[in-house]
Amino acid sequence: MAEGKQEMPREDQGTARRKSFYGFLLGILGSAFLLALAFQLLFPRATDARPAPTEDDANRCDLFSGEWKKDSSPAYSNSSCKFISSPQDCLTNGRLNTDYLSWRWKPYGCKIPPTDTRKFSNSMRGKSIAFIGDSILRNQMESLLCILSKVEEAVLVYHDETYQSKTWYLPSHNITLGLIWAPFLVNSTEAKSKKDIQIYLDVLDPVWTSQYQNYDYIMLSGGQWFLKETTFWENNTIVGCHYCPGKGLKELGMDYSYRRALRLIFHFLSAADHKPLVVLRTWTPSHFEYGQWYSGGICNRTKPFNEGEYNADPVDAVMRNVELEEFQEGLVNGLNLSLLDIYHLSLLRPDGHPGPYRKYHPDISKKPQEDCLHWCLPGPIDTWNELLIAILMGEEELRSSL
């Protein structure tokens, strides 16, 4: 044995090897934890799953946390309502499965009784409501018109040249309902071209701001138009784009433009003299499977998803988070805002879309393009209006203990 060196006892050698192994194992586990944490932060689950309520929740009424239960028939039929656009009239277009009509949303913390349309119409007497947005908001407006027609059928008193913006009037109740086409909410060139759209993130769409002061209630929402190829302008200068390869522009993303639009809207609301109640309806999830609308995507499910069963499109979750963040900022700034959070309850309803029945009796064998974004009427979208009515009438009237 060389001088100055001693052989380690075998027992100590074994201890050292075990310590070395445990140290290596802890290092691996630590790295795995950090990787998992990083993945969770970068790619959160998009199910937006919500737990069932605890006893502490019994006295709290969250209209947007609940489950779908098979319960009752719809408030109206496709044959009894004349306001349904043909692409959303699924039954007339040949859809045979009608199970999607039999589900009712049940919030965990309270009950929503069947909408008292007469009571609502009386409470809105002399009032006006504007829906500002895109074709999904038109879809919702048609649902509301159908619901109200049980008491009084609205009369169309205005439409623009393209029939995108319309105004209805209920003469017996002196109620005005306005549908204002503004798919980006900010100014844009969408009316001239559906491709390479220019949007001006520091200028609100004058189509709705010019009418804003005429309404007691404002319902607004952004939507899938923000996912299109768009070029962003601010201060008369191009600052970037979304989905514009080959143009040499900075990719800022659809969430950038949507956030800027909402922020500008809330700044406008804060500065305006007219102070209506403004309801922000959250993002609408799509349910395309096996592709997108342009690549053979379908939505042929016939019942709701169970909680946590469906991993939503991550883009939907990103855009909804933008809404929630900007909404909270608006509340902090003292705005008269309310949230119609239909994202989660809609996420669970893949069965409620027209699918191939966006046209009259389609030839299914030819695999026609499907609509997995808009909603059949009647259908799940009627629930959005039940919740809107609850908001407008005062949520406290609908509270009840479990």
Side-chain angles (χ1 to χ4, degrees), residues 9-49:
R10 290 187 177 182
E11 185 179 31
D12 292 341
Q13 286 180 341
T15 300
R17 283 195 295 269
R18 284 194 297 274
K19 288 181 177 179
S20 177
F21 172 75
Y22 292 146
F24 172 76
L25 181 60
L26 287 172
I28 292 294
L29 292 175
S31 298
F33 173 78
L34 290 175
L35 285 172
L37 179 61
F39 185 85
Q40 178 66 22
L41 291 173
L42 291 173
F43 305 102
R45 283 182 60 82
T47 58
D48 188 41

Side-chain angles (χ1 to χ4, degrees), residues 95 123-124 292:
R95 177 168 177 168
S123 70
M124 291 295 109
Q292 294 298 321

Side-chain angles (χ1 to χ4, degrees), residues 61-66 105 107 110-112 345 387 390-391 395 398:
C61 180
D62 181 359
L63 294 174
F64 312 116
S65 180
W105 179 247
C110 54
K111 292 187 295 185
I112 305 178
L345 62 92
L387 299 177
I391 290 172
E395 187 177 307
L398 301 175

Side-chain angles (χ1 to χ4, degrees), residues 361-378:
H361 289 268
D363 185 347
I364 305 299
S365 66
K366 294 183 179 179
K367 298 182 177 180
Q369 186 182 74
E370 299 200 12
D371 182 354
C372 307
L373 179 60
H374 297 88
W375 302 84
C376 294
L377 291 180

Side-chain angles (χ1 to χ4, degrees), residues 3-135:
E3 188 177 354
K5 293 185 178 180
Q6 295 184 349
E7 185 175 355
M8 184 180 293
R10 290 187 177 182
E11 185 179 31
D12 292 341
Q13 286 180 341
T15 300
R17 283 195 295 269
R18 284 194 297 274
K19 288 181 177 179
S20 177
F21 172 75
Y22 292 146
F24 172 76
L25 181 60
L26 287 172
I28 292 294
L29 292 175
S31 298
F33 173 78
L34 290 175
L35 285 172
L37 179 61
F39 185 85
Q40 178 66 22
L41 291 173
L42 291 173
F43 305 102
R45 283 182 60 82
T47 58
D48 188 41
R50 301 186 182 186
T54 64
E55 291 184 5
D56 293 337
D57 296 323
N59 296 321
R60 181 176 59 86
C61 180
D62 181 359
L63 294 174
F64 312 116
S65 180
E67 58 187 336
W68 290 96
K69 292 285 190 179
K70 215 164 188 184
D71 188 354
S72 58
S73 58
Y76 60 91
S77 69
N78 66 312
S79 60
S80 69
C81 181
K82 70 176 186 179
F83 299 104
I84 305 173
S85 294
S86 178
Q88 280 76 61
D89 191 350
C90 302
L91 296 178
T92 297
N93 289 341
R95 177 168 177 168
L96 297 178
N97 173 273
T98 60
D99 194 51
Y100 70 97
L101 298 172
S102 303
W103 297 87
R104 184 169 175 81
W105 179 247
K106 301 288 187 179
Y108 289 131
C110 54
K111 292 187 295 185
I112 305 178
T115 299
D116 188 335
T117 311
R118 189 171 301 279
K119 182 177 181 180
F120 173 68
S121 298
N122 287 331
S123 70
M124 291 295 109
R125 191 178 296 275
K127 302 294 180 60
S128 54
I129 307 172
F131 280 37
I132 303 170
D134 59 10
S135 59

